[in-house]
Amino acid sequence: MGTNAPPRREPLARGPHEVYFKNLSKQKQKEVMEKNGNNHKLRVCVATCNRADYSKLAPIMFGIKAEPQFFELDVVVLGSHLIDDYGNTYRMIEQDDFDIHTRLHTIVRGEDEAAMVESVGLALVKLPDVLNRLKPDIMIVHGDRFDALALATSAALMNIRILHIEGGEVSGTIDDSIRHAITKLAHYHVCCTRSAEQHLIAMCEDHDRILLAGCPSYDKLLSAKNKDYMSIIRMWLGEDVKTRDYIVALQHPVTTDIKHSIKMFELTLDALISFNKRTLVLFPNVDAGSKEMVRVMRKKGIEHHPNFRAVKHVPFDQFIQLVAHAGCMIGNSSCGVREVGAFGTPVINLGTRQTGRETGENVLHVRDADTQDKILHALQLQFGKQYPCSKIYGDGNAVPRILKFLKSIDLKEPLQKKFCFPPVKDNISQDIDHILETQSALAVDLGGTNLRVAIVSMKGEIVKKYTQLNPKTYEDRLELILKMCVEAASEAVNVNCRILGVGRPSEIDIGNVISIRYMLRGSQMIWSLQSISTGGRVNPREGIVLHSTKLIQEWSSVDLRTPISDALHLPVWVDNDGNCAALAERKFGHGKGIENFVTLITGTGIGGGIIHQHELIHGSSFCAAELGHIVVSLDGPECLCGSQGCIEAYASGIALQREAKKLHDEDLLLVEGMSMKKEEVVSAAHLIQAAKLGNTKADSILRTAGTALGLGVVNILHTMNPSLVILSGVLASHYVNAVKDVINRQALSSVKTVDVVVSNLADPALLGAASLVLDYTTRRIY
């Protein structure tokens, strides 16, 4: 990579006293003032807290100072600038020939979390007096430091306009929170990258008050040239050092994980010692944890090691030359991922402090720098390479844009900040009748032949229904379900329904329910996936089918939550189809207001759900309410579960079909009044028809099935003691009398008074899916 890289842009340097923009014509300046209609000079207060933010603010300060006919500049210095341990860096501001109006000692020593908080408090106490005296029109605040938060808070509360530099960027530690907090306080924003601009817009900042200018420090980086850079390198690293044969290390504590960042710093120093190259190590900043990092340096003897030069501060103009000609820069400073890219110098970014920053290809990230060997390997990969120069953070013309932006500020505009929130509809009435009329769910019934989607109201009314042929494959079914749900949701607006979610069963008795919650905002839909229900044993916490029935083998041993969640990037819940049926009865059917009841689904298989004290029971291993597999005979017919004598082996649609086929094979099924086409498949319906027409053998089979179901219900009564049993499904009406007879003969007298009823729900499959959504999304008590 290094051999094919374009020639390095020679690093530049202008003298520290050089000012910018002397070539702006007087006539042009006059035109700008006349255009603004404002002869008032803009009084600008620039507050700088540390060496890092001064490198970004200095070019702007030079530009302001160069145009005295437009601006008055006041400089306030605070923070670590005034601490000897951090280099007394306020002196470089004086060397740049700026008059410092005020020095504020605001740092409470201790270098821990409490000290940071106390420092913010101290700054808040001292700043009001300064701002009252200066009365600036606008304050320029940079970055994401805790000192800057105190500055922005003070200015905002004192009705001073704030221009924030470098808002909208993303990085690690507490800096992100502070940066975005300053953004909310600031009235104007200067950002460095297109992504940062988009982030500010997404944060509802006024687009007209955002300037995409680039980083001010790049104005120097991309135009600096110093043929005598070797003298700077030798001054800091020694006479025998060659270009690209040394390392610059700058590592700060991570305030959200101080202990780990100190350990990582120790590993970094160990790796640098092993790498055996001349290294310039800069002391960390004043953040919590820096004191412990300095102790690590001294414990390892870095300040006296022949390969190391440990310094508190390097002037920015000289620092530029050092990183421009280094073999590598290592650490977690924003300088490494931002400014150093302008020279194509290799960078190793350690840990999470800069996570989310945009970087050039010169940066190698070691996110989890947990071993010395890993950092050493990174040094071996990066050291001595040369990368293309990056202009991600600027093109060298940031300051002219910023000055023009400052001139455009109309001080007559209202100070009150406005946020550009996305448009929303007027609040819909929260009157109870309106809620019950409009809140709805989409229910999806995945049958053997057809896929049905319905809009179901809060009252359980099917407002509109859609039907299409059901695809054969799992993938095609999901695709069609989502397509039909989107179409139905759009139509729901026309019928005045506020869709809360979607439910889906695969069949009336054994289903797969998926529910997707979303809100309609104008033409936009915001989706939030809620639940999936499927036949068999399900872990609703993990969204996994633990053991599916043989009737739906395509779902067996699969994670239903993950594929749908991955496809739609939404959370998913999973539950059993019998449980959904019980919830439907609780919301819409006979179970409404009943504390304890049981629902049995009688269809292709036998399933159910148990409501105890108004809540659904899942059981310790999610196997509660597998009512179809209650054993009523030790030597009964074989069940699909592999056992013998289960209720499902006697009373399910499949069991009746099996018995009907046996009769038909023996020519004992058909009686007078019945006929079957040759290609017609024998079903449970033929057995029921034959019994009604007087076929004694068919009637005996149905009575046996009803007795088996009744015995199962008796077992349930003796176990759960519900006050109500609801029979649901296509076979319910054929079994209800037989079940009641068995209860009267076999049950204990204390439970014989139980009510046994047939479900009156018009379409339990669709309503069961809808109830799952409506119960989850509208947990209100009326």
Side-chain angles (χ1 to χ4, degrees), residues 457-469:
S457 74
M458 182 71 75
K459 295 179 180 179
E461 298 171 351
I462 297 178
V463 179
K464 196 159 186 176
K465 190 186 296 184
Y466 311 81
T467 304
Q468 288 194 28
L469 289 176

Side-chain angles (χ1 to χ4, degrees), residues 564-593:
I564 299 174
S565 180
D566 287 348
L568 300 178
H569 305 289
L570 300 167
V572 177
W573 287 261
V574 180
D575 213 331
N576 175 272
D577 64 314
N579 291 337
C580 292
L583 292 174
E585 294 292 342
R586 185 182 71 175
K587 188 166 190 66
F588 301 123
H590 291 302
K592 194 170 184 178

Side-chain angles (χ1 to χ4, degrees), residues 742-758:
V742 174
I743 291 173
N744 286 330
R745 295 196 312 267
Q746 301 289 337
L748 295 172
S749 59
S750 58
V751 298
K752 284 184 178 180
T753 57
V754 68
D755 285 335
V756 180
V757 298
V758 176

